[in-house]
Amino acid sequence: MNFIRLLNDIKLRRKLSLTFITVAVVPLLISGIFLTGKLREIMIADAFEQATDNVERVRKRTEEVIKVPLDISYQLSNDSRMKSVASRSYDSYIEVIQTYRQYSDIRDYIRLYKEVKGIRLYTPNPTMLNNWEFMQPDNQIEQAEWYKLALSKKGLAGWGYIEDERDRTKYLSLVRKINLNEPGQDSVLVINVNTAQLNSILSQESFSTMIVDDHNNIVAANRPDLYGKNLAEVHSGDGILQQSEGSFDADIDGKRSKVVISSLVPETSWNGLRVISVFTVSDIVQDANEVIRLATLVIAGSLIIAVLLVYASASLITSRLLRLSKHMSRVGTGSGHWDTYLDLDGKDEIGQLSRQFNALVQRISQLMLEVEESNQQKRRLEQKQSEIKFKMLASQINPHFLFNTLESIRMEAHLRGEEDLAEAVWQLSSLIRNSLEVGNGKIRLSEELNMARCYLELQKFRYEDRLLYKLDIAQGTEDIELPPLMIQPLVENSIIHGLDHKEEGSTRITIRTKLGEDGEVCVEIQDDGAGIPAWKLEELQQQLKEQESEEAGGRIGLRNVHDRLQLTYGHASGLSIDSKEGEGTRITFCIPRGNEIECLQ
């Protein structure tokens, strides 16, 4: 009881310091003495285990890379078109060039697969030309060991370090005999593996790691000075030169080392590769000793600093708690101090509480601003919807009187046999009726397209053969809903600026819808009219980017459609305009299905 009373009487600063020394220093000294004895042994074992895992990982990733040329060789060995090109007897060089131009499979493989650097087929056909894909084997090639082995292995794949005649660079290459259509015309297929792909596999390895072929040629390594050499030039031990699998101790360059080897023999291959990783024990032990010395210094220094920091931190705790309480009281009074910011450093519980307090105050302030901005955006959208409705009908006419009059004109034209005129009056009546019924809500895309079709028919009545149009509507897009009067203003723009400004000839307007990759519906209005000059197109696109409204009294234009799309679906759904003077104009916009927003984020 006296001891507890004595502890309670000690000030917090001294109490924390004594507690730290008693609880932390003594166990740390005992643990340090034990762990330093085991550290050397553990680091060596971990390094060996890491090397084994790394070799296995490199082997698997290398197998994935060389599987690509192996699969390509299977496909080419069964490619009747390639066999026909290689075995055919040509009458002229022009015929050879035309045949090469038509057969592009080899070029396509090189372009599509980054694991492949080059593909060539050696064919003894004197009527062919060498184009680095189909080549005549010279005496040097025919006497090469890999060429003879490929012809003798009856279709099995082989792997060797072979020089490419094009860039005089050696690559790990697959070689394989290809039986052509004509007897006695057997060819040899050579596929170069991309060395950069192999080196990238090894680049992240911490130990010296390399890939060698069955002649001990180093075809890839994580050390640039090893690449291209023979393993015998670097390491002279018999074990590393001859052993194909496993791990063992070896003396390399006078140093005791660990060697891990894994064999890789792809299926249907007569030879394979080896993945070799080497690390010296002295390097691992040296690191361990350095860690022990550094740890001793760090621990000693840390203990001294820690005692001082514990004593000082006790003074900071009470002051920080008082500051936190003061700011919480200031916000809790409800006087609107949302700009309050509490600056308390540290990652402890007090610092975490201060950051959460700041985040809470900031979030509340942000929500208030978002609510205000959302209301403003709603008002802007409603204003744009009303604006387009009023611009469609600048003067309000009694709808019943207007429709009755138009119907009388249509019937009179029908009775007089003026069917074209009657059809035009009916299209006008439908267009005006749909315009009068436009509200602030959304309509189906099919209804919007019907309004555009009526408008085009009216314009076709005016321009006759000068105006052609086509609707290319993708299945499944007609039921999507969108704000009204989105397409008709764009069609009107194509007629006014595309057809009217075109001096002669007809103009075709195409309205096209399609489903995008992300499920959105894309609408495209394209014409082959006069087009837009580059300077004017740049000016128009700049105007669409600026947050400005159209002048009062102006007609329904691109700006209104662009603004309503962005207000409804976000900035990414605005108009995209592409035009060339004399060739035509294309305007597109995309509507995200089910992702409409109430305001811009």
Side-chain angles (χ1 to χ4, degrees):
M1 294 296 295
N2 293 332
F3 178 74
I4 296 176
R5 187 180 299 110
L6 178 62
L7 288 178
N8 292 334
D9 292 339
I10 298 175
K11 293 184 178 181
L12 182 60
R13 301 173 186 176
R14 296 179 180 178
K15 189 183 299 183
L16 290 176
S17 301
L18 292 174
T19 302
F20 174 77
I21 294 174
T22 304
V23 176
V25 175
V26 175
L28 185 61
L29 291 175
I30 297 175
S31 301
I33 295 173
F34 175 77
L35 292 177
T36 51
K38 295 291 183 179
L39 181 59
R40 177 189 175 99
E41 179 182 349
I42 293 174
M43 291 190 69
I44 295 176
D46 288 345
F48 187 79
E49 183 179 356
Q50 179 184 352
T52 303
D53 295 339
N54 291 349
V55 167
E56 181 62 21
R57 182 175 62 253
V58 170
R59 190 193 70 82
K60 291 181 179 179
R61 294 185 61 188
T62 304
E63 186 176 13
E64 294 175 359
V65 171
I66 66 176
K67 189 177 185 297
V68 174
L70 191 61
D71 292 341
I72 293 175
S73 70
Y74 285 139
Q75 298 179 33
L76 291 177
S77 64
N78 297 311
D79 189 346
S80 59
R81 291 181 60 229
M82 185 195 73
K83 293 181 179 180
S84 176
V85 171
S87 61
R88 178 179 174 184
S89 179
Y90 298 92
D91 297 329
S92 65
Y93 289 157
I94 296 177
E95 184 180 359
V96 176
I97 295 172
Q98 290 177 346
T99 303
Y100 287 170
R101 186 176 300 169
Q102 294 173 358
Y103 181 78
S104 62
D105 289 5
I106 292 179
R107 294 189 294 274
D108 292 340
Y109 283 130
I110 298 175
R111 178 174 55 85
L112 293 175
Y113 297 99
K114 62 183 178 180
E115 293 86 356
V116 176
K117 189 66 175 179
I119 302 176
R120 58 191 186 275
L121 182 71
Y122 291 98
T123 304
N125 187 345
T127 64
M128 298 179 65
L129 294 174
N130 290 342
N131 69 335
W132 303 113
E133 295 175 3
F134 297 93
M135 303 184 64
Q136 297 282 346
D138 54 20
N139 291 333
Q140 183 178 358
I141 296 297
E142 291 178 345
Q143 296 302 320
E145 180 183 358
W146 60 266
Y147 190 87
K148 294 179 180 179
L149 284 173
L151 292 176
S152 65
K153 293 299 182 178
K154 298 181 180 180
L156 294 177
W159 304 89
Y161 197 47
I162 301 173
E163 182 181 285
D164 193 329
E165 292 91 337
R166 175 179 293 188
D167 55 9
R168 296 301 177 183
T169 302
K170 288 188 175 183
Y171 297 92
L172 172 64
S173 303
L174 176 147
V175 295
R176 188 174 200 155
K177 175 183 175 182
I178 302 294
N179 296 320
L180 299 182
N181 298 331
E182 299 295 333
Q185 288 189 354
D186 294 334
S187 301
V188 175
L189 177 67
V190 179
I191 302 179
N192 296 338
V193 179
N194 192 344
T195 304
Q197 290 291 112
L198 297 177
N199 288 335
S200 66
I201 296 175
L202 304 176
S203 61
Q204 298 180 353
E205 302 302 324
S206 55
F207 302 133
S208 177
T209 307
M210 65 201 83
I211 301 174
V212 301
D213 64 4
D214 59 345
H215 289 85
N216 287 323
N217 294 311
I218 302 176
V219 301
N222 61 347
R223 285 171 48 188
D225 59 310
L226 297 179
Y227 175 70
K229 295 183 178 180
N230 192 279
L231 190 60
E233 302 175 16
V234 182
H235 304 299
S236 58
D238 292 339
I240 195 172
L241 295 177
Q242 299 176 1
Q243 187 166 337
S244 61
E245 194 83 23
S247 57
F248 55 93
D249 297 331
D251 289 331
I252 298 177
D253 298 332
K255 298 181 180 180
R256 190 163 64 91
S257 304
K258 298 282 186 179
V259 181
V260 180
I261 302 176
S262 180
S263 177
L264 171 58
V265 181
E267 57 180 294
T268 67
S269 299
W270 79 71
N271 63 352
L273 307 171
R274 290 189 301 159
V275 180
I276 302 175
S277 180
V278 179
F279 69 91
T280 60
V281 176
S282 60
D283 292 339
I284 302 299
V285 174
Q286 181 180 2
D287 293 339
N289 294 335
E290 184 66 25
V291 169
I292 293 173
R293 288 191 296 269
L294 181 61
T296 302
L297 294 176
V298 170
I299 291 173
S302 297
L303 290 176
I304 296 174
I305 296 175
V307 172
L308 298 176
L309 290 178
V310 168
Y311 188 81
S313 63
S315 301
L316 295 176
I317 291 176
T318 55
S319 62
R320 295 166 75 199
L321 288 174
L322 289 175
R323 289 178 58 192
L324 178 60
S325 176
K326 179 180 178 181
H327 282 76
M328 293 179 66
S329 300
R330 184 181 179 188
V331 174
T333 57
S335 56
H337 295 286
W338 302 114
D339 57 344
T340 298
Y341 181 78
L342 179 60
D343 185 14
L344 288 181
D345 296 332
K347 297 183 179 180
D348 58 0
E349 289 80 357
I350 300 176
Q352 184 177 359
L353 280 174
S354 68
R355 288 189 293 272
Q356 292 176 350
F357 170 76
N358 291 334
L360 177 62
V361 174
Q362 183 180 5
R363 182 57 180 165
I364 293 175
S365 178
Q366 182 180 0
L367 288 174
M368 295 179 66
L369 292 176
E370 289 179 356
V371 170
E372 182 179 355
E373 183 180 357
S374 176
N375 293 332
Q376 292 178 356
Q377 293 291 75
K378 288 180 180 179
R379 289 192 295 269
R380 287 184 61 196
L381 182 58
E382 291 173 357
Q383 180 183 358
K384 291 291 182 180
Q385 295 285 64
S386 300
E387 177 185 343
I388 192 169
K389 180 177 180 181
F390 290 130
K391 286 184 178 181
M392 284 297 297
L393 295 176
S395 60
Q396 291 292 331
I397 303 176
N398 187 289
H400 297 290
F401 169 76
L402 178 62
F403 295 143
N404 291 337
T405 302
L406 290 175
E407 182 64 18
S408 299
I409 296 173
R410 187 183 73 84
M411 292 301 299
E412 183 64 24
H414 179 70
L415 293 175
R416 294 185 182 185
E418 299 290 341
E419 296 297 337
D420 293 341
L421 181 58
E423 178 67 17
V425 173
W426 183 84
Q427 297 287 354
L428 177 59
S429 176
S430 298
L431 182 61
I432 296 177
R433 184 185 300 274
N434 290 333
S435 299
L436 287 173
E437 293 175 354
V438 167
N440 291 332
K442 294 184 175 65
I443 64 174
R444 295 174 59 195
L445 179 60
S446 58
E447 299 176 17
E448 179 73 7
L449 292 172
N450 186 49
M451 293 179 64
R453 186 185 293 107
C454 291
Y455 178 78
L456 285 168
E457 285 294 335
L458 283 173
Q459 294 295 342
K460 187 170 179 61
F461 178 77
R462 172 187 176 189
Y463 291 101
E464 297 181 348
D465 293 339
R466 288 194 61 202
L467 175 61
L468 304 173
Y469 75 89
K470 176 185 178 183
L471 272 65
D472 184 7
I473 309 304
Q475 185 178 2
T477 62
E478 293 183 333
D479 293 334
I480 189 173
E481 293 186 347
L482 74 168
L485 294 174
M486 287 291 187
I487 298 178
Q488 186 272 337
L490 305 182
V491 174
E492 178 183 357
N493 182 79
S494 295
I495 292 177
I496 294 176
H497 299 286
L499 176 59
D500 288 348
H501 292 176
K502 191 173 183 180
E503 295 181 356
E504 59 182 10
S506 62
T507 297
R508 176 180 291 274
I509 298 176
T510 302
I511 302 176
R512 183 178 295 108
T513 68
K514 58 184 178 180
L515 289 173
E517 296 180 357
D518 298 330
E520 76 272 17
V521 174
C522 294
V523 180
E524 177 182 300
I525 294 86
Q526 181 176 3
D527 66 76
D528 57 0
I532 305 175
W535 65 269
K536 190 172 183 180
L537 177 61
E538 183 178 356
E539 180 181 342
L540 176 60
Q541 291 175 342
Q542 183 62 31
Q543 291 175 356
L544 292 181
K545 292 179 182 178
E546 296 175 355
Q547 296 297 326
E548 298 177 358
S549 59
E550 294 185 358
E551 296 180 359
R555 63 174 181 83
I556 302 172
L558 301 180
R559 178 69 196 209
N560 188 284
V561 177
H562 181 76
D563 286 347
R564 289 190 297 128
L565 282 171
Q566 289 191 335
L567 286 171
T568 306
Y569 302 104
H571 287 289
S573 295
L575 295 180
S576 175
I577 304 176
D578 185 17
S579 180
K580 289 186 179 179
E581 187 174 7
E583 297 183 10
T585 303
R586 180 177 62 190
I587 303 177
T588 59
F589 64 88
C590 293
I591 301 174
R593 307 185 68 173
N595 292 329
E596 295 84 349
I597 62 175
E598 293 296 333
C599 63
L600 297 177
Q601 298 300 325

